[in-house]
Every structure is written in C-alpha cells, then in structure tokens.
Amino acid sequence: MKKSANDCQEIDTETVKENIRPFMNNEALTVVDLKELLGFDSTQAIYKWRSGRGIPSIDSLFKMSSVFDIPMEDFIKKDGIKVNRSVWIIQRNRVH
C-alpha cells in the first residue's frame, strides 16, 4: 500500500522544545556553551528551538548529535531519551 502525506512523520517544534532542554541540562550546558560548540555567531537559533518557534537544520542536528552523543532522531521525535546519558550508560553496562 502506498503511503500518503498523512502517514509521514513531521518534525514538530514542540517536540524539539521538549527534548532539547533536558539534553542541555544533563550536560550542564548553557545556551552560550551550546552556541560555541555548534560554531554559531549568536544564540538566537538556540533560543528559538527552546521556545518552540523554530527547528534545527539538519546540519545543526548532526552537530548536536555529536555534542550530546545521541542519535539525531532523539531531538525531533516524541519521547526522546531524557535521562542523564552517563547514568544510562552505567545501567546499560550492568545489564550486559
């Protein structure tokens, strides 16, 4: 069966807004810190993402994926990983 436009997922600004703060908080990064890590000249784009008024470009998602060591999808999908990454790694290693 052929998919329609209604079957395709879209990037939701509210989802980005809900996901980016916990990732920044878990790494103790300020907006200025993230701006510098992403190589931005200003903090404007980051504030837009955090307020739900915009979404990151694919380049920005790729860079943030590296900064936070998580898949790009976790920024844009609902229920992205919202736990402290180091705790998650420790717990995962105990299971194996």
Side-chain angles (χ1 to χ4, degrees):
M1 176 184 242
K2 189 173 183 178
K3 289 187 176 187
S4 71
N6 292 336
D7 297 326
C8 298
Q9 293 183 341
E10 296 178 349
I11 299 174
D12 177 46
T13 56
E14 284 299 309
T15 300
V16 173
K17 172 184 169 181
E18 292 170 7
N19 289 345
I20 195 166
R21 283 181 187 268
F23 292 127
M24 291 178 66
N25 291 342
N26 287 338
E27 298 296 326
L29 291 177
T30 66
V31 172
V32 173
D33 294 334
L34 187 57
K35 171 196 80 105
E36 292 172 2
L37 287 168
L38 298 176
F40 290 178
D41 292 329
S42 78
T43 57
Q44 183 178 7
I46 299 166
Y47 279 116
K48 281 185 177 181
W49 307 335
R50 288 171 45 117
S51 68
R53 293 181 291 124
I55 58 172
S57 70
I58 192 74
D59 291 338
S60 296
L61 286 170
F62 188 75
K63 288 178 183 177
M64 286 193 295
S65 148
S66 176
V67 167
F68 295 108
D69 191 29
I70 59 170
M72 291 191 306
E73 300 87 36
D74 285 355
F75 288 102
I76 58 177
K77 69 180 181 182
K78 289 197 182 291
D79 301 321
I81 299 171
K82 294 181 182 175
V83 297
N84 183 316
R85 189 79 177 160
S86 60
V87 171
W88 180 80
I89 290 169
I90 290 168
Q91 290 173 343
R92 185 183 66 177
N93 288 339
R94 287 183 186 162
V95 172
H96 293 183

